[in-house]
Amino acid sequence: MKVIGVGNLKGGVGKTTTSTSLAYLLGRYGKKVLMVDADAQGNASGTMGVYDPNEKGLAGILLEQQSTEETIRHTRYENVDIIPANMWLMQANAQLLYSMENQIDRIEKMLNDECINNKYDYVICDCGLLLDVTVLNVVKASDLLIIPVKAGGYGIDAVENMIEQTKGIHEGQQIKVLMTMKTGNITNKDTAQWLRDTYKDKMFETEIRRSVVAEKAETAKRPLPEMSRGSNAAKDYNNVIREIMTDEEWNVAQAYIESKRRNKKTGRFQKVD
């Protein structure tokens, strides 16, 4: 099971779009995926169709008030479950801040539960803006930390802040910077080059192109690739999946898609929704 955190200490850089897109696409490729909404705004929960302001969700697990198994919700998307979040998470952060023990190990402990560890291939965690106790829990638990950064603007400074502030929390953790909302203008190109010169092997080869589909998907509360699978941004996120997967995983994923496309009765290929 691979645990991926998606976070940046700057808003508007595509964190939730990235996390929900990756979860959706991994599910389509036959991977069992658990999303963990670690943001009190609950945008990932809303995108996956399970937002409920009256359920404690992740906050209940962090405060040890409910079990992991009873908190997991099925989403409307293939192979994707979620531990949702809402404003209860702010209360949980406040209480954990003054806890004397296990402040940042609780999500890691949660992921070791049998109902998660033996069931899912990937865990995708969507982080909030603040480096609060919940986000520190995600960083501690994540094998890979993806830092989305908008092409231009203050988000570039936030990348270095995120790397520095989380240093030493998870030794050996892989960190990858993902450029989002890329256009063809000179400023974007200069920014992309600066990022590649600065972070080198910490950069994804793929850059997420700017697309109006992203805004439409946010409004509709749907994952971007589901909204428009043929859009440039959806294709880019698919390439990010290719970078995340091993060659063996990718080959298995392609075989899974091919098996779904083949009509069992006629043997012919058909379009997969």
Side-chain angles (χ1 to χ4, degrees):
M1 185 176 76
K2 187 167 187 174
V3 183
I4 300 175
V6 181
N8 189 333
L9 305 179
K10 176 73 176 66
V13 297
K15 292 189 298 295
T16 301
T17 297
T18 296
S19 61
T20 54
S21 294
L22 296 182
Y24 171 82
L25 289 169
L26 284 166
R28 283 197 71 247
Y29 278 129
K31 299 299 181 182
K32 300 297 183 183
V33 182
L34 176 68
M35 284 208 73
V36 177
D37 193 347
D39 184 356
Q41 294 183 81
N43 291 329
S45 301
T47 300
M48 292 299 174
V50 296
Y51 182 82
D52 186 342
N54 299 313
E55 289 189 2
K56 289 189 177 181
L58 180 61
I61 296 174
L62 293 176
L63 295 175
E64 299 179 338
Q65 296 174 350
Q66 59 195 46
S67 71
T68 302
E69 191 167 13
E70 69 180 302
T71 308
I72 294 173
R73 295 288 176 266
H74 298 302
T75 73
R76 55 196 173 196
Y77 301 112
E78 180 184 14
N79 297 321
V80 182
D81 293 339
I82 188 170
I83 294 177
N86 50 39
M87 296 307 288
W88 281 100
L89 205 53
M90 294 184 68
Q91 185 181 107
N93 273 303
Q95 292 187 40
L96 286 173
L97 188 62
Y98 296 103
S99 173
M100 297 302 292
E101 57 183 41
N102 298 329
Q103 291 173 311
I104 66 171
D105 296 327
R106 299 196 180 195
I107 286 181
E108 191 171 35
K109 178 183 176 183
M110 175 190 81
L111 297 180
N112 284 325
D113 283 354
E114 187 175 346
C115 65
I116 291 179
N117 207 317
N118 296 330
K119 184 177 180 181
Y120 298 99
D121 301 305
Y122 283 88
V123 177
I124 308 291
C125 306
D126 185 46
C127 295
L129 284 177
L130 302 176
L131 198 62
D132 55 25
V133 179
T134 303
V135 173
L136 289 173
N137 266 268
V138 170
V139 173
K140 179 72 163 56
S142 298
D143 305 305
L144 167 63
L145 180 62
I146 296 177
I147 306 177
V149 55
K150 183 180 177 181
Y154 296 111
I156 294 175
D157 295 331
V159 173
E160 189 60 32
N161 289 336
M162 186 75 179
I163 293 174
E164 285 299 317
Q165 294 297 321
T166 59
K167 188 178 293 184
I169 295 176
H170 183 148
E171 294 296 336
Q173 181 183 66
Q174 184 183 19
I175 295 176
K176 297 286 280 188
V177 179
L178 176 65
M179 192 170 194
T180 61
M181 306 180 200
K182 175 77 182 297
T183 67
N185 65 42
I186 295 176
T187 300
N188 272 204
K189 290 179 180 179
D190 290 345
T191 300
Q193 189 58 54
W194 183 87
L195 285 168
R196 294 201 178 282
D197 290 343
T198 303
Y199 295 108
K200 299 181 174 64
D201 59 342
K202 284 188 171 70
M203 288 289 297
F204 277 99
E205 289 296 323
T206 304
E207 297 170 347
I208 309 300
R209 287 168 283 184
R210 189 176 186 88
S211 173
V212 295
V213 174
E215 297 172 7
K216 291 180 179 178
E218 286 182 15
T219 302
K221 294 185 178 180
R222 293 165 59 189
L224 186 152
E226 189 219 6
M227 194 77 177
S228 177
R229 197 164 298 156
S231 67
N232 288 335
K235 293 175 182 177
D236 294 337
Y237 277 117
N238 195 66
N239 289 333
V240 172
I241 294 292
R242 178 65 186 93
E243 290 192 54
I244 290 172
M245 284 184 175
T246 63
D247 289 342
E248 182 179 356
E249 274 188 296
W250 182 252
N251 291 335
V252 171
Q254 299 309 300
Y256 177 82
I257 290 293
E258 184 174 313
S259 69
K260 290 195 67 178
R261 289 180 59 231
R262 189 182 293 277
N263 186 297
K264 292 182 180 179
K265 291 183 179 180
T266 66
R268 295 177 180 177
F269 288 103
Q270 58 192 2
K271 183 179 179 182
V272 178
D273 293 331

